[in-house]
Amino acid sequence: PVKKDQLIETLIDENAKLDLLIAQAYLEQDNARLTSNEASIKGVHANINTLKEHYKAAKAILTLREDTAKRFETAGRDAIAEIDIIEARQLALAQKADLAAITSQITEAEARIEHLEAVRKQIQAQIKLSEAEVSRKELLLRRTRITSPTDARVMRLLATPGQQRML
């Protein structure tokens, strides 16, 4: 006599165990990629915040340099040397170029965020596939164990211990 859910026989399960280990390793690998991706996204966001602070500071410096250039021009060549007026204009132009460079860096970082978020979605989809594969491999491994569906008496076996069957 056997009781319900009692193990009757185990078929060869080495392949199923190996397949399950491989599927679990792929899932772990996908989860690690997701963790790395999310860390990259946080890093780029931090970079954007820093760039925005630099932009604010550079904007303030530009305002100061433009005001200085206007004051020098208004004072005229009699009060301020021509070279000082030219230098003030050049400093203002250089600061504008710095602002443009910072703006470009912010735009590039925002594009990087968009790319990383798209990659994150791909990784998340891959994780779902890997989880499904792990579940499938677990099912195949469970199918190597023959258990009694009810309390009963075994009359005959259609599979023998150690037998490998295509599942």
Side-chain angles (χ1 to χ4, degrees):
V2 292
K3 300 289 182 193
K4 180 178 175 158
D5 297 324
Q6 180 181 340
L7 178 64
I8 298 172
E9 293 297 336
T10 301
L11 303 177
I12 292 177
D13 61 0
E14 286 84 8
N15 288 346
K17 286 179 181 177
L18 289 173
D19 288 345
L20 177 58
L21 286 174
I22 291 169
Q24 289 169 334
Y26 279 127
L27 178 58
E28 286 177 28
Q29 188 177 43
D30 292 338
N31 282 320
R33 285 180 51 224
L34 181 61
T35 299
S36 174
N37 174 270
E38 289 172 346
S40 294
I41 289 172
K42 285 180 185 177
V44 176
H45 274 298
N47 186 37
I48 288 172
N49 291 337
T50 301
L51 287 169
K52 286 181 178 179
E53 291 302 315
H54 285 157
Y55 182 87
K56 288 178 188 176
K59 184 78 169 164
I61 292 170
L62 174 62
T63 300
L64 177 66
R65 289 190 173 163
E66 286 177 334
D67 287 347
T68 301
K70 281 184 184 179
R71 278 187 290 115
F72 281 12
E73 288 173 2
T74 303
R77 292 186 178 125
D78 296 333
I80 307 287
E82 179 71 24
I83 191 74
D84 292 336
I85 295 171
I86 292 171
E87 184 179 346
R89 285 185 203 147
Q90 289 302 320
L91 287 172
L93 287 174
Q95 195 62 34
K96 281 183 183 179
D98 287 347
L99 278 176
I102 293 170
T103 301
S104 175
Q105 290 173 343
I106 290 171
T107 302
E108 288 174 17
E110 288 170 342
R112 178 84 177 129
I113 291 284
E114 287 179 22
H115 170 74
L116 287 170
E117 288 175 349
V119 169
R120 182 181 63 198
K121 287 179 182 179
Q122 290 173 339
I123 294 170
Q124 288 170 332
Q126 183 60 47
I127 286 172
K128 287 180 183 178
L129 289 172
S130 293
E131 289 171 341
E133 186 65 11
V134 166
S135 295
R136 191 173 76 77
K137 298 299 183 181
E138 288 171 340
L139 175 64
L140 290 175
L141 181 59
R142 280 193 307 273
R143 288 182 177 170
T144 64
R145 299 173 52 82
I146 301 170
T147 58
S148 176
T150 62
D151 291 344
R153 184 173 304 270
V154 177
M155 300 303 285
R156 67 184 169 121
L157 291 175
L158 299 177
T160 60
Q163 181 179 0
Q164 186 171 12
R165 300 184 71 183
M166 298 302 286
L167 302 176

